[in-house]
């Protein structure tokens, strides 16, 4: 790797505002806002909309769509397609 051309890779806190969940990891992301972490050190904080604490797939609240029922409902509403 060439020296001096890569961004700094340092500890950063990512905070999910909707779930009140935060985790410390390493990243090249930067922020002007800081937060004091559990270890007493101050780290830059990045606010995110969705994380594993609030995403429906990870929380188990995801809905599975019944695609067969949707096709049947469409055919009832608009009729089956005529054979060519």
């Amino acid at each position: 790797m060439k020296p001096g051309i890569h961004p700094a890779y340092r500890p950063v806190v990512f905070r999910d505002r909707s779930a009140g969940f935060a985790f410390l990891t390493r990243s090249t992301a930067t922020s002007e806002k800081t937060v004091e972490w559990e270890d007493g050190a101050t780290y830059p904080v990045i606010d995110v909309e969705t994380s594993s604490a609030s995403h429906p797939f990870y929380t188990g609240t995801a809905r599975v769509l019944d695609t067969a029922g949707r096709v049947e409902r469409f055919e009832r509403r608009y009729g089956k397609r005529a054979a060519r």
Side-chain angles (χ1 to χ4, degrees), residues 10-14 23-30 43-46:
R10 59 197 168 113
V12 176
V13 174
F14 285 90
F23 58 94
L24 178 66
T25 187
R26 294 179 55 86
S27 176
T28 59
T30 60
Y43 298 106
V45 63
I46 307 288

Side-chain angles (χ1 to χ4, degrees), residues 22-72:
F23 58 94
L24 178 66
T25 187
R26 294 179 55 86
S27 176
T28 59
T30 60
S31 175
E32 297 296 320
K33 296 188 280 183
T34 60
V35 66
E36 186 172 331
W37 192 243
E38 299 160 354
D39 62 1
T42 302
Y43 298 106
V45 63
I46 307 288
D47 290 324
V48 294
E49 297 290 323
T50 305
S51 72
S52 61
S54 64
H55 193 279
F57 178 79
Y58 294 106
T59 60
T61 59
R63 296 184 306 151
V64 177
L65 296 176
D66 179 23
T67 55
R70 293 178 70 178
V71 170
E72 291 167 359

